[in-house]
Amino acid sequence: MNVGDEYVYYIRGASDEEGSESIIRMNFDGSDQTALISYDDVECLQYVRLSDGRIYLYYEVYTGDAEDGGFPRLYRYDPETGEDEPVLDTAIVWYNLYDEYLYYVEVPGGGIFRLP
């Protein structure tokens, strides 16, 4: 669960009816739960406010691509525009956002990388 400036964001697991997992936005009192985006397998949600004021939700998506070796890819969602996009062109095993940087470990190869 991630608490933003105006909403709470969380990942709702797949149900039998939906068959996919969703990133949900809700008010602080739990009302108005809205699915923003859905994937078959999504994890590790982080709410981020950048120094320029832009807000993004970062998360891992398991694409099922054989070339990813079962590891996720990093995506981000812009709540203002409703658009999502892959952040990196490679699968990852870990990521974290700290200060102005994105730190991650990619597959294959390992090693910790940083994006400005």
Side-chain angles (χ1 to χ4, degrees), residues 50-63:
L50 302 178
S51 60
D52 63 7
R54 290 180 296 160
I55 294 171
Y56 290 104
L57 301 174
Y58 283 80
Y59 50 95
E60 296 176 355
V61 173
Y62 289 84
T63 63

Side-chain angles (χ1 to χ4, degrees), residues 58-104:
Y58 283 80
Y59 50 95
E60 296 176 355
V61 173
Y62 289 84
T63 63
D65 291 341
E67 68 184 45
D68 292 344
F71 293 98
R73 293 201 176 233
L74 184 62
Y75 280 70
R76 75 176 179 189
Y77 176 84
D78 183 336
E80 186 174 312
T81 65
E83 295 183 21
D84 72 320
E85 63 183 348
V87 176
L88 303 168
D89 292 331
T90 185
I92 61 169
V93 294
W94 172 86
Y95 84 100
N96 196 15
L97 297 146
Y98 181 75
D99 201 14
E100 294 294 316
Y101 301 102
L102 166 67
Y103 296 89
Y104 64 97

Side-chain angles (χ1 to χ4, degrees), residues 14-80:
S15 68
D16 291 338
E17 299 86 38
E18 296 171 349
S20 62
E21 298 176 342
S22 300
I23 296 176
I24 306 295
R25 178 186 71 202
M26 69 178 178
N27 293 325
F28 293 121
D29 65 0
S31 65
D32 195 24
Q33 296 189 29
T34 304
L36 301 177
I37 195 161
S38 296
Y39 285 97
D40 288 340
D41 194 353
V42 59
E43 295 183 3
C44 301
L45 178 66
Q46 286 193 38
Y47 172 91
V48 177
R49 175 183 283 284
L50 302 178
S51 60
D52 63 7
R54 290 180 296 160
I55 294 171
Y56 290 104
L57 301 174
Y58 283 80
Y59 50 95
E60 296 176 355
V61 173
Y62 289 84
T63 63
D65 291 341
E67 68 184 45
D68 292 344
F71 293 98
R73 293 201 176 233
L74 184 62
Y75 280 70
R76 75 176 179 189
Y77 176 84
D78 183 336
E80 186 174 312

